[in-house]
Amino acid sequence: DVPLMPAIQRRGNDVMRDGAKIDRYRGHVYGLAIDLGTTTVAANLFDLETGSAIATAAFENPQRFGGSDIMHRISYDGGPHGGELNKVIINALNQEIAVLCENYGFQRREIYEVVVAGNSTMRDMFFKGDVQPIGQRPYKSPIELAFLAGERDSTALVAQARKLGLRTHPKCLVHGLPLIASHVGGDAAASLLALDISPDDDEVTMLVDMGTNTEIV
């Protein structure tokens, strides 16, 4: 059991983030968890007051026209159509958000927090970052390089949803889960967290994420 301690909470008719009011209560306090896979994207809508899952949506990653694998997409993003892969995934997620709103009877402004898990390339591209270094030796994200150089205290990312183009509450924050190293990103980190795998455990455990890229821990 994990105690619920969301940054977003409701106090009476106010929706608060870390003690500061960001909105009036509109009927729901929702969060969106996104698994940004190379081939498939999954989005889970959560009630932040109860921790319960409301809905799940999944669709093929529309970035596939830029290549079926990570290296081809890095190459495509470095060409004359740089930024296009970011735009298509944002547009696809906005369409899914609109469908969820219609199907479950809520407003997009009732989504106050978004968490994104993905490999290093998918995550950094989502946050409009430069992914070219990930495709070249030593195959590391600029975020990881800055962390290793002591310029950052984490490889996690945070951005305002409106600056990314996501149609949620105007003050919604988007959190990119931290990377592990090189191509092993926040999706593997999320799996380890969900399974509560600790290096202090006595038993031997193996985690296999069998996707377009396969990670084994």
Side-chain angles (χ1 to χ4, degrees):
D1 292 333
V2 178
L4 289 176
M5 295 186 295
I8 302 294
Q9 295 181 331
R10 177 164 71 98
R11 294 181 186 171
N13 290 320
D14 295 333
V15 178
M16 319 285 288
R17 173 185 287 116
D18 296 327
K21 179 180 176 180
I22 61 170
D23 197 11
R24 60 177 175 80
Y25 181 59
R26 300 171 182 269
H28 306 94
V29 182
Y30 283 162
L32 197 63
I34 300 169
D35 180 1
L36 193 59
T38 310
T39 302
T40 305
V41 178
N44 292 293
L45 183 71
F46 285 92
D47 185 326
L48 295 183
E49 293 190 273
T50 66
S52 59
I54 305 300
T56 299
F59 56 93
E60 182 180 299
N61 190 323
Q63 298 173 326
R64 292 194 68 180
F65 67 85
S68 61
D69 60 77
I70 290 297
M71 300 305 284
H72 279 95
R73 289 195 202 171
I74 291 174
S75 177
Y76 185 92
D77 198 57
H81 304 292
E84 198 173 80
L85 296 178
N86 168 268
K87 291 177 183 177
V88 297
I89 191 62
I90 294 294
N91 289 340
L93 285 168
N94 282 336
Q95 291 174 17
E96 289 299 323
I97 289 172
V99 171
L100 287 171
C101 288
E102 182 177 351
N103 290 345
Y104 293 90
F106 68 98
Q107 306 172 45
R108 61 183 177 85
R109 284 174 169 260
E110 293 175 290
I111 299 176
Y112 298 95
E113 207 87 19
V114 176
V115 175
V116 177
N119 64 52
S120 306
T121 302
M122 291 291 96
R123 191 205 68 163
D124 284 11
M125 193 179 291
F126 179 88
F127 280 88
K128 301 181 179 181
D130 178 15
V131 297
Q132 296 311 303
I134 308 177
Q136 307 163 15
R137 289 185 179 180
Y139 307 108
K140 293 185 180 297
S141 162
I143 303 301
E144 183 187 353
L145 291 171
F147 171 72
L148 293 173
E151 299 167 5
R152 297 176 58 94
D153 59 4
S154 170
T155 57
L157 292 174
V158 182
Q160 294 179 341
R162 61 182 179 84
K163 291 188 176 180
L164 295 176
L166 276 184
R167 303 188 73 226
T168 57
H169 189 272
K171 294 185 178 179
C172 173
L173 293 181
V174 183
H175 303 267
L177 293 186
L179 312 177
I180 293 180
S182 297
H183 289 287
V184 185
D187 47 357
S191 299
L192 289 168
L193 182 63
L195 292 174
D196 195 23
I197 294 178
S198 168
D200 298 325
D201 291 342
D202 291 332
E203 66 176 344
V204 177
T205 307
M206 183 167 73
L207 163 68
V208 181
D209 181 352
M210 194 177 297
T212 311
N213 308 296
T214 298
E215 293 88 25
I216 302 175
V217 182

